[in-house]
Amino acid sequence: MADSGTTRLEILVVDDDESVREVLALCLERDDHGVTLAASADEAMARVREGLYDMAFVDLRLGADSGLDLIPRLLGQAPWMKVVLITAHSSVETAVEAMRKGAADYLTKPVDPHVVRVLVERMASIRRLERKVEALEDQVGRASPRPMLESRNPAMRRVVEMARRVAKSDALVLIRGESGTGKGVLAKEIHAASERAQAPFSVINCPSLSAELLQSELFGHVKGAFTGAVKTQAGKIDLTEGGTLFLDEIGDLPGSIQPKLLRFIQDREYERVGDPQPRKADVRIVSATNRDLEEAVEEGEFREDLLYRLNVIELTVPPLRARPEDVEDLARRFLRFFAHKYNQSLSDFSPSAWHWIRSHPWPGNVREMQNAVERAVILCTTREVPRELFPDSESAPAVRAATAPVAAGNGVGAAVTSEAGAPAVPAGVSLEEMERQYIERVLRDCDTLEAAADMLGIAPSTLWRKRRKYDL
C-alpha cells in the first residue's frame, strides 16, 4: 500500500464512460485497492452478486438508467457498502437525493485523483471502525470472564511480560500450553497491546472443520467453487485486514492447508477457493497448540518449515497446577463474575469448598475452574458456596458426581468412584484405558460434543482429537 494506514478495499466502479472508469481505476490501483469495472447498472448488479465490495463509485447517468436508482439496489445486496455518486454538475438537490437513497458521499467531474484518494481513505477508516465494532459485539455476545493475566507466579509473569514486549513487533508468535490454560486470552492481550489494536482480532479453531471448509474459512471462496457455495464469501484473512488472526490448535491444521498457510506467511499472498487471482493481505499470525509439534514433524503430520516460520517467538503458558499462587485469585474472580451474571447474592466459598479448590489438581486448568465455579453458583441456594456443589463430591449433582478427574498431562483421565468417594481403580487397567472409558461414558451421557467437553473440562478441539485417537 502507498499508505500503511490505509485499509485495502474492494471497490466497484460503475460508469458508462470508459475514460472515467480508467482514470478511477488508475487512482485506486495505485494505492493497492482491488478494482472491478462495470459499464451499466445491470453489469454492476451482476458483479455485486458475484463478489464482495466495500465501496462503489456510481455515475449519476448510466445510459438509460439512473445512478440514483442503482444506489438502493446495490445496498440491498450489500448493506455495508459505501456508495459514492459521481456527477458532472453538483447541486444541493442531487446531493440530498443521493444521501436519501443511501449514498455515503458524492464526487464531481472531472475526477481529481487527490480528492478520490482522500475520500477513499475516509471510507476505509469507516470500514475499519465498523469491523472493530462487529468484533467487539461478537465478543460481548459470547461474554465470559477473562482469566487474569496478572499473576503471582514468576513463570506466568515472565510469559505475560514477554507477550507485551513482542506485541509491539509484527513477529509471529507460537503459544504453547495445555488445554484450558488461557492461550487464547494471551493472544488477545498481544493484539490489544500492538499497533494493530484498532483493527479486527479473528479466531480460527483449526480442528473444528473439515479441510475443505477450513480452507474456505481461512482464505474465502467464490461462488460455485464447491457444492453449497451459492455466493462469494470472504475468508478470515480478508476480514482481518490490518489486524491479528489467531490460529488455535495449529497442530491440527490439515496437511493440505499447511503449504498454503506457509505461502501466506512468507509472501502475504493467497487465493480464494475457486479463484486463481492472487490476493494480498496485511495480517499478523498468532498461533497456539497443546501438541508437541516437534513430535508431529517427526511423524510427518506437520511441516518442519511451517513450524520454523510460526515459532519466531515462543511463549509457554504454565498449567494451573504449577501456579498455586493464582488459584484463590482466579476462584474469587469467577465467583464475583458469575454471582453478578446470575443475580446471586453470594459472599464466599465455604471453608470446605476452599479446601477442595486449593487441593484439586485442576487437570482442565483455568477452563475447568471456570466451569466448576459457574455450575456451583447456578445451583447455590445459600450465602456461601458449599463443597457439595463441586465435582468429586458424593452429593454433587449431575453425572460428574460419580466420577473423579485425574491429572493426566494434557488430557483428562478418570476413575470410577466407590460409594465412599475414593477412586476404585481396577487392577491391570492403564490410565489411557481409564481415560477412554471415561470419555466414552461422558459422550454417551451428553447431547452435544460441546456439552461433553464442558463436563470434561477440556476444549472441544481436544475432545475431538481424543475421539479420533480412541475411535469413539
Side-chain angles (χ1 to χ4, degrees), residues 151-194:
S151 173
R152 302 172 189 264
N153 178 262
M156 185 64 183
R157 291 175 66 176
R158 284 194 295 270
V159 169
V160 174
E161 288 168 7
M162 176 67 78
R164 288 170 177 162
R165 283 205 302 272
V166 303
K168 303 302 180 183
S169 71
D170 265 347
L172 277 73
V173 180
L174 176 63
I175 306 174
R176 299 187 189 239
E178 296 179 9
S179 179
T181 50
K183 298 187 293 294
V185 174
L186 194 63
K188 289 180 183 178
E189 179 69 13
I190 292 170
H191 173 71
S194 74

Side-chain angles (χ1 to χ4, degrees), residues 439-460:
I439 291 175
E440 184 177 29
R441 175 180 178 178
V442 172
L443 286 169
R444 187 171 61 246
D445 291 334
C446 291
D447 294 330
T448 66
L449 187 70
E450 289 75 15
D454 178 61
M455 183 166 293
L456 290 164
I458 60 177

Side-chain angles (χ1 to χ4, degrees), residues 26-273:
L26 285 173
C27 293
L28 299 170
E29 289 174 346
R30 184 180 62 186
D31 284 342
D32 199 31
H33 295 295
V35 182
T36 301
L37 306 179
S40 66
D42 288 343
E43 187 178 355
M45 289 305 300
R47 295 288 178 268
V48 171
R49 293 189 189 99
E50 294 170 354
L52 293 170
Y53 298 94
D54 300 288
M55 187 176 177
F57 286 93
V58 177
D59 190 24
L60 176 62
R61 301 187 184 280
L62 296 169
D65 295 316
S66 166
L68 288 172
D69 293 335
L70 178 60
I71 292 172
R73 294 175 63 195
L74 291 173
L75 294 176
Q77 190 71 28
W80 62 85
M81 187 186 294
K82 309 304 174 193
V83 180
V84 176
L85 186 71
I86 307 173
T87 175
H89 305 285
S90 61
S91 69
V92 174
E93 292 79 8
T94 302
V96 169
E97 181 64 11
M99 301 301 174
R100 191 181 69 82
K101 296 273 191 177
D105 210 327
Y106 71 95
L107 182 68
T108 57
K109 295 180 181 179
V111 174
D112 183 336
H114 176 70
V115 173
V116 170
R117 187 174 191 184
V118 170
L119 196 154
V120 171
E121 287 179 356
R122 183 160 59 83
M123 296 303 164
S125 178
I126 293 172
R127 285 298 290 143
R128 282 199 302 272
L129 181 60
E130 289 176 343
R131 289 170 179 171
K132 181 69 174 177
V133 170
E134 289 169 2
L136 289 172
E137 287 177 343
D138 182 58
Q139 291 177 23
V140 171
R142 297 181 283 106
S144 62
R146 286 187 60 184
M148 291 182 295
L149 289 175
E150 294 75 16
S151 173
R152 302 172 189 264
N153 178 262
M156 185 64 183
R157 291 175 66 176
R158 284 194 295 270
V159 169
V160 174
E161 288 168 7
M162 176 67 78
R164 288 170 177 162
R165 283 205 302 272
V166 303
K168 303 302 180 183
S169 71
D170 265 347
L172 277 73
V173 180
L174 176 63
I175 306 174
R176 299 187 189 239
E178 296 179 9
S179 179
T181 50
K183 298 187 293 294
V185 174
L186 194 63
K188 289 180 183 178
E189 179 69 13
I190 292 170
H191 173 71
S194 74
E195 295 180 356
R196 299 173 177 268
Q198 299 306 311
F201 175 86
S202 300
V203 180
I204 288 184
N205 194 318
C206 296
S208 62
L209 299 169
S210 66
E212 293 75 14
L213 291 177
L214 184 59
Q215 183 175 345
S216 173
E217 178 81 358
L218 186 59
F219 301 112
H221 65 261
V222 296
K223 181 180 179 181
F226 51 84
T227 303
V230 296
K231 64 178 181 178
T232 296
Q233 181 69 49
K236 284 291 180 69
I237 284 179
D238 192 10
L239 297 174
T240 314
E241 172 66 35
T244 303
L245 179 60
F246 176 49
L247 300 177
D248 199 9
E249 306 296 354
I250 188 71
D252 291 298
L253 187 71
S256 60
I257 301 179
Q258 291 179 26
K260 297 178 174 65
L261 177 61
L262 180 63
R263 178 195 173 196
F264 174 71
I265 290 172
Q266 293 178 158
D267 304 329
R268 298 297 180 189
E269 194 171 83
Y270 70 100
E271 286 119 26
R272 288 178 177 172
V273 179

Side-chain angles (χ1 to χ4, degrees), residues 411-429:
V412 54
V416 179
T417 43
S418 67
E419 291 184 2
V425 183
V429 177

Side-chain angles (χ1 to χ4, degrees), residues 124 190 309 345 349:
I190 292 170
R309 294 309 300 260
S345 181
F349 298 103

